[in-house]
Amino acid sequence: MPSRWSQFYALTKPRVVQLIVFCAFIGMVLAVPGLPDAAQWGRMAVASAGIWLVAGAAAAFNCIVEQGIDARMKRTAWRPTAKGELSNAQTLLFSAALCAAGSALLYVCVNPLTMWLTFATFVGYAVIYTVILKPLTPQNIVIGGASGAMPPVLGWAAMTGDVGPEALILFLIIFLWTPPHFWALALYRVEDYRRSGLPMLPVTHGNEFTRLQVFLYTLILFAACLMPFVYGMSSWIYLAAAVVLSLGFCGYGFALWRSYSDELARKTFRFSLIHLSLLFAALLVDHYVL
């Protein structure tokens, strides 16, 4: 049986939180012209820790709300709350402690704006998305994607004390990336979602309609991925990476639309993770090389 600490750690959905903190860190780096000094590196480290704590708290709270749903889905049945290894009271206390610690760290050591934006993201994901939108509408991923798109905005606010247009461009990219990413997953996990009772798009509108939506969103996302270059916040290094990665995502979306298989849906989902990670990594490289 896993140790108690590993069970609590699993509640934070570490892989998801790592991507959140990575995107927030990119926002921090891009907000600082040139190489950060020692004080700025310190602020980045503290802000990353605070965002990690609050994001982990939101993930743990999500496990409470979706305990019954998780137990019916193969993908999530292993979670400690779904297996009954941790009680709701234990999980709620853990979530509250992480949220309080992260919020205090951001308020005292970073700035109040970052704390309030991060807390609003917690509420948006844990309450508005998980409790209200997810069980109510097949557009849950589209609307709820606003919470998942916030990390670069949090990072930008941490370093500048405000929210600039550059941060909003990064927000838009993740916002448009979220639907094709999650719908690709939902396509090959459709029976899981059907058993859970959640109105995910493949369940309510069918496989073919969802595949078309995935493809159309990759096209819109392609345009959004060019905006950092068009706005002048990046150069040709990022542009080249964005074009190659976006063409790849569109290619997967088109292939998925024209001829479906579970394996292709899995490859599309995996490539979406590569797409976002390398896209933001390209922004980082571009920022320091040119």
Side-chain angles (χ1 to χ4, degrees):
M1 182 177 176
S3 70
R4 187 64 79 195
W5 284 113
S6 65
Q7 290 171 346
F8 278 117
Y9 181 65
L11 293 178
T12 65
K13 303 181 183 178
R15 287 187 296 178
V16 175
V17 171
Q18 286 167 12
L19 185 59
I20 288 171
V21 174
F22 173 70
C23 292
F25 181 75
I26 297 300
M28 296 176 206
V29 169
L30 295 179
V32 177
L35 284 171
D37 57 29
Q40 288 169 329
W41 280 120
R43 178 179 285 254
M44 289 180 187
V46 172
S48 296
I51 292 168
W52 188 96
L53 288 168
V54 179
F61 188 86
N62 171 269
C63 289
I64 299 174
V65 176
E66 299 194 337
Q67 180 178 3
I69 294 171
D70 287 345
R72 295 194 295 270
M73 299 178 65
K74 291 180 181 179
R75 185 173 66 90
T76 55
W78 61 270
R79 288 176 180 164
T81 43
K83 294 172 68 176
E85 295 171 344
L86 293 173
S87 69
N88 286 348
Q90 289 173 314
T91 305
L92 183 61
L93 181 61
F94 176 67
S95 175
L98 289 185
C99 186
S103 296
L105 192 63
L106 292 173
Y107 189 92
V108 174
C109 301
V110 182
N111 58 57
L113 176 62
T114 304
M115 187 279 285
W116 286 116
L117 287 174
T118 306
F119 183 73
T121 303
F122 172 93
V123 173
Y125 173 74
V127 179
I128 297 174
Y129 168 67
T130 302
V131 178
I132 300 173
L133 293 175
K134 195 169 183 180
L136 186 66
T137 171
Q139 292 298 312
N140 46 30
I141 289 299
V142 178
I143 306 169
S147 295
M150 282 296 290
V153 179
L154 305 180
W156 192 277
M159 303 309 294
T160 65
D162 63 13
V163 176
E166 298 91 343
L168 296 179
I169 290 173
L170 301 179
F171 170 92
L172 180 64
I173 290 173
I174 301 179
F175 180 75
L176 294 173
W177 169 88
T178 302
H181 165 71
F182 275 106
W183 284 336
L185 169 68
L187 280 166
Y188 69 87
R189 294 285 191 179
V190 63
E191 292 307 318
D192 258 2
Y193 283 110
R194 203 185 308 278
R195 281 192 298 270
S196 74
L198 292 173
M200 292 298 287
L201 198 64
V203 176
T204 60
H205 289 69
N207 180 288
E208 185 174 353
F209 180 82
T210 304
R211 286 151 46 200
L212 175 60
Q213 296 304 304
V214 169
F215 176 51
L216 293 177
Y217 263 95
T218 61
L219 296 177
I220 300 170
L221 175 62
F222 194 152
C225 289
L226 301 180
M227 289 184 67
F229 177 79
V230 173
Y231 187 74
M233 60 183 288
S234 67
S235 68
W236 63 269
I237 294 178
Y238 167 80
L239 178 63
V243 169
V244 171
L245 290 167
S246 297
L247 283 173
F249 204 178
C250 289
Y252 271 108
F254 180 78
L256 193 65
W257 172 47
R258 300 303 297 169
S259 179
Y260 179 78
S261 71
D262 282 355
E263 182 57 31
L264 184 54
R266 286 190 183 91
K267 289 181 178 179
T268 304
F269 173 76
R270 291 170 188 152
F271 185 81
S272 69
L273 292 170
I274 295 171
H275 174 275
L276 188 65
S277 299
L278 292 184
L279 191 79
F280 276 66
L283 274 171
L284 181 63
V285 171
D286 186 283
H287 183 68
Y288 285 123
V289 171
L290 293 177

